[in-house]
Amino acid sequence: MTTCPAWEQSLLLKAIRREPTPYTPVWLMRQAGRYLPEYRALRSKIPFAQLCKTPSLCAQIMVQTVQRLGVDAAILFSDLLLVLEPMGFPVEYTAGEGPVFERPIRSAQEVDRLQELESLEPLAYVLEAMRLTRAALPNHIPLIGFAGAPFTLASYLIEGQGGSNFRYTKGLMYSDSGAWRAMMDRLARAVAQFLLAQIQAGAQAVQLFDTWAGCLGPEDYRQYVLPFSQAVIQAVESAAPVIHFSTGNPALLPLIREAGGQVIGVDWRVRLDQAWQQIGYDRAIQGNLDPAVLLGPPELIRQRVQQILCQAAGRAGHIFNLGHGLLPDTPVENVLILVDAVHQLSQRPTAASRIPSESVSLGSGSDQMPPELA
Amino acid sequence: MTTCPAWEQSLLLKAIRREPTPYTPVWLMRQAGRYLPEYRALRSKIPFAQLCKTPSLCAQIMVQTVQRLGVDAAILFSDLLLVLEPMGFPVEYTAGEGPVFERPIRSAQEVDRLQELESLEPLAYVLEAMRLTRAALPNHIPLIGFAGAPFTLASYLIEGQGGSNFRYTKGLMYSDSGAWRAMMDRLARAVAQFLLAQIQAGAQAVQLFDTWAGCLGPEDYRQYVLPFSQAVIQAVESAAPVIHFSTGNPALLPLIREAGGQVIGVDWRVRLDQAWQQIGYDRAIQGNLDPAVLLGPPELIRQRVQQILCQAAGRAGHIFNLGHGLLPDTPVENVLILVDAVHQLSQRPTAASRIPSESVSLGSGSDQMPPELA
């Protein structure tokens, strides 16, 4: 007889299933990253790509980070773009500018330079990192796998790098919908396959990152992006729950929800209560502190955590996170303050441990503590 | 007895006042820019900063652009950042990277390096460009003045350049609200003074560009930005109508409206009908085509113009524009197609010239032509 692993009753998986939890689970995008001195020490000895390809180090850095921060979930230490290497696009990680493709796709004719992902063998190191991380983590800490969404991967392939006005991506998308569909289909198949393999290797949930989707309006998202993200999510969701994350455009949230995901990740551009209302309460929500708040003083951090928790209103199904990755110059002590604040301020009173009912007031009327948290 | 100048009955000013117009007025941000061969020819002989400081050329390039495109408004040829030069921040316009400040403000202590704008004398060339442009334009074409909003100017001063994660700006904003307020107050006073002088020199309306406001969430916008943009608008709006433009976060629109502006400029991240509903129909609206659509085929351009016009539903008070500036590699013929499409597809039928009532269907049900346009 097999017993149910401890992670099944973890705060994260309960929140994903919208079951009540004694307090709100929290993890942070880029929680193992450059803001950590031990990470910088490691990186001074080993380049980023090599680190990603050394499973034992990937596992070590994530496990020690989870312990140090006291967060409620681990995420695979890896990179969005590695899946593109066996598809014909080796990535250069430059010092200051982030990842770069030397020869981006700039025309419909070039789309076939992106090859079908025929085998996961070249990505075996990612799956090994997953297995080692899962094995090294305590059983009550769930492990999240991840991949870039087709649009975000396509943007990198076409722009050659991140964040710009996305004119090459949109230019190709508008000019040749056949080539666009071929490329997005290929990416969707690769991503689905990769995520399923991550789940088999030990992930309890997966996050689909559509980091750049926010450069699009609703019409474009619906026409050129939604079907492909939906295909990925439908292929994966029976194996493990999907967190569907995007950033940059709150007006897309109803469509992001339509594309799928048991959890919808939102950034700080919208109030969490309004976001949840638009998404619908039949989905869990993840977010949504501006990572830049962690550059401010401790009082501000606690105040903003409180506001987000109040907006979540004690409803089951909230996973606390940032709206985007931790910034490299974030003080570690502020990250610890954040994690503690989420845990403390979200305590649900039980009959045994009720908190004295003094009213806690922070800021404007609409951010008052709801009665069940006061 | 003075007669009312022709521009008072121009399509733009009627739309600003939400009066009906025979068709929808259109102008385009960066309509005189690098996508035009004649502009590139001029720029090959004269650097950008020098061009901005040569009023006769500023007037010439805008007047010839308005004639060539057939748009319904001119905008001063100038740059957002020039107002900062007499405040102690000379701008470097680099070839590939856009404007850059060599020594950005990186701490609260440095905020006083930004000096009060004591006199408009150093900006006399801008006002002269305004006078010459007004004098050279036909009377029925209104001329728009403009300035950067305090937050967008502050972001440039603090980041040293545009578009990033705005971590220095937010870091300062969160860490020292006193220094932040002092800087924003100084910028608001300078911008208000500058816009009033532009109106005196011949502008019929002014646009306040809050290009980077979209990096903020609603709470931050309300606390750190709204009061200062509001101060500018309140100081200016009795002299001329204000178009309040921002980009990057549709969730801010109700607050942008609260800060003021007779017209609210919106980008393509949100449907125009939803944006207008959120803003309220007691304001005019400007927007909102994605400039990247102009990199696509003519059919797509016409289709997207039609969709936006359908979303405006023939309501008085819509000014057609892009959601951000024209991209440098836009084909000129596509810009002409756009302007023609707006004019043709927005014709309001009169008793004398009614269009046959065949139903015109384009795309999804909610984008059907409203009866008055069909």
Side-chain angles (χ1 to χ4, degrees):
Chain A
M1 192 179 111
T2 55
T3 51
C4 188
W7 57 67
E8 281 301 326
Q9 294 307 315
S10 65
L11 297 184
L12 182 88
L13 292 187
K14 277 171 174 276
I16 289 177
R17 297 189 300 256
R18 292 180 294 112
E19 294 167 13
T21 52
Y23 52 89
T24 301
V26 54
W27 69 279
L28 305 170
M29 287 183 273
R30 288 195 201 279
Q31 60 192 12
R34 260 197 288 164
Y35 78 99
L36 283 174
E38 56 268 35
Y39 177 82
R40 289 196 301 272
L42 191 61
R43 278 294 316 284
S44 68
K45 288 176 278 183
I46 182 168
F48 179 66
Q50 201 186 325
L51 177 52
C52 290
K53 292 174 183 178
T54 312
S56 59
L57 287 177
C58 294
Q60 182 197 315
I61 187 85
M62 185 52 68
V63 172
Q64 88 190 20
T65 299
V66 167
Q67 280 164 347
R68 174 158 183 173
L69 301 182
V71 289
D72 303 296
I75 182 165
L76 176 69
F77 186 91
S78 190
D79 187 74
L80 288 186
L81 300 182
L82 294 168
V83 69
L84 299 174
E85 292 200 327
M87 300 176 81
F89 283 80
V91 194
E92 286 283 318
Y93 294 93
T94 59
E97 303 164 68
V100 170
F101 292 110
E102 253 189 36
R103 287 182 54 225
I105 292 174
R106 284 288 160 84
S107 69
Q109 292 71 44
E110 286 180 88
V111 160
D112 281 340
R113 285 176 44 219
L114 181 72
Q115 297 149 28
E116 191 73 29
L117 181 65
E118 300 288 359
S119 150
L120 289 167
E121 185 49 38
L123 295 166
Y125 63 90
V126 177
L127 305 175
E128 179 64 8
M130 185 70 83
R131 275 185 289 270
L132 294 182
T133 310
R134 181 61 276 168
L137 279 172
N139 270 357
H140 68 280
I141 297 289
L143 174 57
I144 302 169
F146 73 91
F151 178 75
T152 290
L153 295 177
S155 298
Y156 274 112
L157 287 170
I158 298 172
E159 301 297 324
Q161 55 190 31
S164 66
N165 49 24
F166 298 93
R167 67 179 183 280
Y168 299 112
T169 308
K170 291 179 181 177
L172 199 152
M173 185 174 94
Y174 292 138
S175 310
D176 194 325
S177 55
W180 177 260
R181 201 174 315 120
M183 183 179 54
M184 292 290 278
D185 268 335
R186 207 164 296 156
L187 289 167
R189 283 191 295 270
V191 168
Q193 204 184 333
F194 189 34
L195 287 175
L196 284 168
Q198 290 185 32
I199 295 163
Q200 279 207 316
Q204 280 71 60
V206 292
Q207 178 156 320
L208 191 65
F209 282 84
D210 216 350
T211 314
W212 305 128
C215 72
L216 299 170
E219 179 70 24
D220 283 341
Y221 182 84
R222 179 181 288 287
Q223 191 171 341
Y224 300 109
V225 179
L226 191 150
F228 309 98
S229 290
Q230 193 168 42
V232 172
I233 294 168
Q234 286 177 352
V236 167
E237 65 189 352
S238 63
V242 177
I243 305 169
H244 190 180
F245 168 78
S246 67
T247 175
N249 186 1
L252 295 183
L253 288 173
L255 295 172
I256 299 282
R257 178 230 145 91
E258 191 178 325
Q262 219 169 317
V263 184
I264 306 298
V266 299
D267 79 5
W268 63 88
R269 286 178 175 82
V270 59
R271 286 171 58 107
L272 187 100
D273 48 2
Q274 292 186 352
W276 210 346
Q277 195 185 13
Q278 279 168 41
I279 291 164
Y281 300 118
D282 59 339
R283 307 292 175 100
I285 194 168
Q286 180 176 281
N288 73 338
L289 188 75
D290 187 339
V293 167
L294 296 175
L295 307 175
E299 313 82 73
L300 180 80
I301 298 169
R302 287 194 200 95
Q303 185 207 346
R304 292 299 175 94
V305 167
Q306 182 72 275
Q307 281 174 351
I308 291 169
L309 292 172
C310 289
Q311 289 170 23
R315 200 185 290 277
H318 177 216
I319 299 158
F320 201 103
N321 205 320
L322 304 174
H324 207 159
L326 270 161
L327 296 167
D329 41 1
T330 305
V332 180
E333 56 273 28
N334 286 356
V335 179
L336 296 170
I337 288 168
L338 166 67
V339 173
D340 279 354
V342 174
H343 285 163
Q344 283 172 18
L345 298 171
S346 67
Q347 294 282 344
R348 321 275 189 263
T350 61
S353 66
R354 194 168 293 279
I355 300 161
S357 65
E358 290 151 40
S359 124
V360 181
S361 171
L362 277 148
S364 69
S366 58
D367 290 321
Q368 292 288 323
M369 291 283 277
E372 70 269 33
L373 293 184
Chain B
M1 191 179 111
T2 54
T3 52
C4 187
W7 57 67
E8 280 301 325
Q9 294 306 316
S10 65
L11 297 185
L12 182 87
L13 292 187
K14 276 171 175 277
I16 289 176
R17 297 189 300 257
R18 290 179 296 112
E19 295 167 14
T21 53
Y23 52 88
T24 301
V26 54
W27 69 278
L28 306 170
M29 287 183 274
R30 290 195 198 278
Q31 60 192 10
R34 259 197 290 163
Y35 78 99
L36 282 173
E38 56 268 37
Y39 177 83
R40 288 196 300 271
L42 190 62
R43 278 296 314 285
S44 69
K45 286 177 280 182
I46 181 169
F48 179 67
Q50 201 185 326
L51 177 53
C52 289
K53 292 174 183 178
T54 311
S56 59
L57 288 177
C58 294
Q60 183 197 312
I61 187 85
M62 185 50 69
V63 172
Q64 90 190 18
T65 299
V66 167
Q67 281 164 348
R68 171 157 186 176
L69 301 183
V71 289
D72 302 296
I75 182 164
L76 176 70
F77 186 90
S78 191
D79 187 75
L80 287 186
L81 300 183
L82 294 168
V83 68
L84 299 175
E85 292 201 326
M87 301 177 79
F89 283 81
V91 193
E92 287 283 319
Y93 294 94
T94 59
E97 302 164 71
V100 170
F101 292 111
E102 252 188 38
R103 286 182 54 225
I105 292 174
R106 285 287 161 86
S107 68
Q109 292 71 45
E110 287 180 89
V111 159
D112 282 341
R113 285 175 44 217
L114 180 73
Q115 297 149 28
E116 191 74 27
L117 181 65
E118 299 288 359
S119 153
L120 290 167
E121 186 48 40
L123 296 166
Y125 64 89
V126 177
L127 305 174
E128 179 63 8
M130 185 69 84
R131 275 185 291 270
L132 294 181
T133 311
R134 180 63 275 168
L137 280 172
N139 270 358
H140 68 280
I141 297 289
L143 175 58
I144 302 168
F146 73 92
F151 178 75
T152 290
L153 295 177
S155 297
Y156 274 113
L157 287 170
I158 297 171
E159 302 298 323
Q161 55 190 30
S164 66
N165 50 23
F166 298 93
R167 66 179 183 279
Y168 299 113
T169 307
K170 292 179 181 177
L172 198 152
M173 184 174 96
Y174 292 139
S175 309
D176 194 325
S177 56
W180 177 259
R181 201 176 313 121
M183 182 179 55
M184 291 290 277
D185 268 334
R186 207 165 294 156
L187 289 167
R189 283 192 297 270
V191 168
Q193 204 184 332
F194 189 34
L195 287 175
L196 285 169
Q198 291 186 31
I199 295 164
Q200 278 206 318
Q204 280 71 58
V206 292
Q207 178 156 320
L208 191 65
F209 282 85
D210 217 349
T211 313
W212 304 128
C215 73
L216 299 170
E219 178 70 24
D220 283 341
Y221 183 84
R222 179 181 288 288
Q223 190 172 341
Y224 298 109
V225 179
L226 191 150
F228 308 98
S229 290
Q230 194 170 42
V232 171
I233 294 169
Q234 286 178 351
V236 168
E237 64 188 352
S238 62
V242 177
I243 305 169
H244 189 180
F245 168 78
S246 67
T247 176
N249 186 359
L252 294 183
L253 288 173
L255 295 173
I256 299 281
R257 176 232 146 91
E258 191 178 325
Q262 219 168 317
V263 184
I264 306 298
V266 299
D267 78 5
W268 63 88
R269 285 179 176 82
V270 59
R271 286 173 58 106
L272 188 101
D273 49 0
Q274 292 186 351
W276 210 346
Q277 195 185 14
Q278 279 167 42
I279 291 163
Y281 300 119
D282 59 338
R283 306 293 174 100
I285 193 167
Q286 180 175 282
N288 70 339
L289 188 75
D290 188 338
V293 168
L294 296 174
L295 307 175
E299 315 82 74
L300 180 80
I301 298 170
R302 287 194 200 94
Q303 185 207 348
R304 291 299 174 94
V305 166
Q306 182 71 274
Q307 281 175 350
I308 291 169
L309 292 172
C310 289
Q311 289 170 23
R315 201 184 291 275
H318 177 216
I319 300 159
F320 200 102
N321 207 319
L322 305 174
H324 208 160
L326 270 161
L327 296 167
D329 42 359
T330 306
V332 180
E333 56 274 27
N334 285 358
V335 179
L336 295 170
I337 288 168
L338 166 67
V339 173
D340 280 355
V342 174
H343 285 163
Q344 282 171 20
L345 298 172
S346 68
Q347 294 284 343
R348 319 275 187 261
T350 62
S353 66
R354 194 168 294 277
I355 300 162
S357 66
E358 289 152 39
S359 125
V360 180
S361 172
L362 278 148
S364 69
S366 57
D367 289 322
Q368 294 287 325
M369 292 284 279
E372 70 268 35
L373 292 184

